[in-house]
Amino acid sequence: MQRPPPDADWMAAAIALSRRGRPASTPNPNVGCLIVKDGIVTARGWTRPGGRPHAEAMALMAAGGAARGATAYVTLEPCAHASPRGPACSDALIGAGITRVVIAAQDPDPRTDGKGIARLQEAGIEVVFNMLAAEARAAMAPWWMRRARGRPFVTLKLATSLDGCIARADGSSRWITGARARAHGHLERAQHQAILVGRATLEADAPKLDVRLPGLADRSPVKLLLTRGTAPEGWTAVASPQAIADVDSLLVEGGAGAASAFLAADRVDRLLLYRAPILIGGGKPALGDIGLADLADAHGRWRLQDSRLLGSDRLDVYERAREG
Ligand SMILES: NC(=O)c1ccc[n+]([C@@H]2O[C@H](COP(=O)([O-])OP(=O)(O)OC[C@H]3O[C@@H](n4cnc5c(N)ncnc54)[C@H](OP(=O)(O)O)[C@@H]3O)[C@@H](O)[C@H]2O)c1
């Protein structure tokens, strides 16, 4: 008989599921849950829009009686607090007859923080924790960032030519990249709660900033405009990068002024650089002043996460290297 996959493989699958909850699970964390019995997945769950049902509740509902004697893989410690919107997940797992729970990250919410694990152990359930914790936290980065720092997790997207321009000198920038890169950009939009451009981009391009992918049209993010002035209907004006607090995930789509403002404020956590195999020459540079005092300070800030070709364009994804 074939050996069942190890715990880390099941957890990786649960983490992939957890990403489905982004960004609709807000204000709750996007959690993934797999229920496995005899080496077979009997049910899957991820946090539903608005934050309920939780991933465990969805999976237990789907598993029914098959949960008895099974292992649950959960990307965040099951909650220990009941709420008017549902029971505590640790109690639900116990009640369903789960005998083993593998957890990725401990929940920093003081209502749970270790209490979920303790409750499972007290009920005689075998608990394994810290399984792919960093990967699970990365999949929940927006929720984690807002909780820890009270601000959104910010992704900055820039589409440039090989010579680092985001537009021609006359401001025209449609299109620098090809259809596949732009479709990827739309997928990124669908995974963000809010999207922002600077006022000059609104005036130059009148961008819709919606998600134009089949089946994802209802995932268009809320539109923010970086301006010291007012915003037209359908947009919310924000006066500075620091002024955005009630959002988990923000996608900044330029232009150079907006991008520079977020970088100067050290408010960018992830960079999406789409580079087209074209030269513009004498065009608009991707960035203005970002407040760099010394070239040495520029080093060690960005870590390459992913690099791939999208049609004839290259996408490089970097994450901000931060302490703690
Ligand atoms: N290739 C790409 O990826 C891409 C993406 C987007 C845009 N673009 C191109 O980029 C060009 C526009 O870029 P841009 O650099 O001229 O302008 P921009 O970044 O779109 O907008 C600049 C405006 O943003 C506001 N702003 C900037 N910093 C701010 C701060 N710290 N606090 C508050 N508000 C701030 C100001 O608006 P107020 O003056 O109203 O205060 C400023 O005038 C266009 O040609 C567009 O086509 C290219």
Side-chain angles (χ1 to χ4, degrees):
M1 203 178 109
Q2 227 185 343
R3 272 210 345 216
D7 283 339
D9 287 3
W10 293 122
M11 186 57 82
I15 291 170
L17 272 181
S18 76
R19 292 184 179 273
R20 293 191 184 192
R22 261 168 77 172
S25 72
T26 188
N28 285 350
N30 53 298
V31 177
C33 176
L34 268 191
I35 295 181
V36 177
K37 197 170 176 181
D38 301 328
I40 290 168
V41 175
T42 58
R44 304 175 305 160
W46 57 93
T47 319
R48 309 308 292 167
R52 293 274 177 170
H54 285 179
E56 300 92 319
M58 177 182 170
L60 288 173
M61 216 164 355
R68 195 152 293 281
T71 295
Y73 293 85
V74 196
T75 62
L76 186 69
E77 179 183 4
C79 63
H81 58 279
S83 101
R85 297 207 292 154
C89 289
S90 46
D91 290 339
L93 290 163
I94 296 166
I98 292 280
T99 49
R100 186 166 178 265
V101 179
V102 183
I103 298 167
Q106 194 161 325
D107 188 349
D109 185 327
R111 293 172 300 176
T112 293
D113 199 5
K115 298 186 192 81
I117 293 173
R119 192 170 300 176
L120 295 170
Q121 286 172 329
E122 281 156 20
I125 292 177
E126 180 194 346
V127 179
V128 178
F129 49 91
N130 255 335
M131 177 68 60
L132 302 188
E135 289 83 347
R137 275 199 295 270
M140 289 182 265
W143 177 79
W144 219 280
M145 178 63 81
R146 186 166 165 196
R147 194 171 175 87
R149 298 184 190 225
R151 68 162 177 91
F153 184 90
V154 178
T155 296
L156 169 61
K157 175 201 153 188
L158 288 171
T160 74
S161 57
L162 291 177
D163 52 337
C165 298
I166 59 161
R168 293 181 65 211
D170 65 2
S172 56
S173 65
R174 279 184 173 153
W175 299 105
I176 288 180
T177 51
R180 283 184 64 180
R182 296 206 305 276
H184 186 274
H186 280 245
L187 196 57
E188 282 286 334
R189 284 180 182 172
Q191 291 164 357
H192 284 81
Q193 198 185 346
I195 189 166
L196 175 145
V197 294
R199 184 186 50 80
T201 295
L202 176 63
E203 284 172 3
D205 302 341
K208 289 204 189 85
L209 302 185
D210 54 355
V211 178
R212 270 159 273 157
L213 292 175
L216 291 177
D218 62 341
R219 298 276 293 269
S220 296
V222 171
K223 294 188 293 186
L224 307 182
L225 185 69
L226 186 67
T227 175
R228 296 174 189 93
T230 55
E233 204 185 319
W235 294 76
T236 302
V238 292
S240 72
Q242 293 88 339
I244 306 162
D246 53 351
V247 167
D248 283 2
S249 53
L250 174 69
L251 181 63
V252 176
E253 286 211 13
S260 307
F262 275 80
L263 287 164
D266 197 11
R267 287 290 174 110
V268 179
D269 305 293
R270 182 167 166 262
L271 276 177
L272 287 176
L273 295 182
Y274 298 89
R275 211 156 12 101
I278 60 168
L279 294 167
I280 291 182
K284 195 168 178 45
L287 295 176
D289 182 13
I290 59 167
L292 190 68
D294 192 317
L295 190 54
D297 296 343
H299 290 275
R301 289 190 161 220
W302 300 100
R303 208 164 24 214
L304 185 66
Q305 248 191 346
D306 188 13
S307 182
R308 63 175 106 159
L309 275 176
L310 296 168
S312 56
D313 302 321
R314 167 140 314 265
L315 167 65
D316 289 322
V317 183
Y318 290 87
E319 66 178 3
R320 176 79 168 89
R322 293 186 194 281
E323 299 289 307

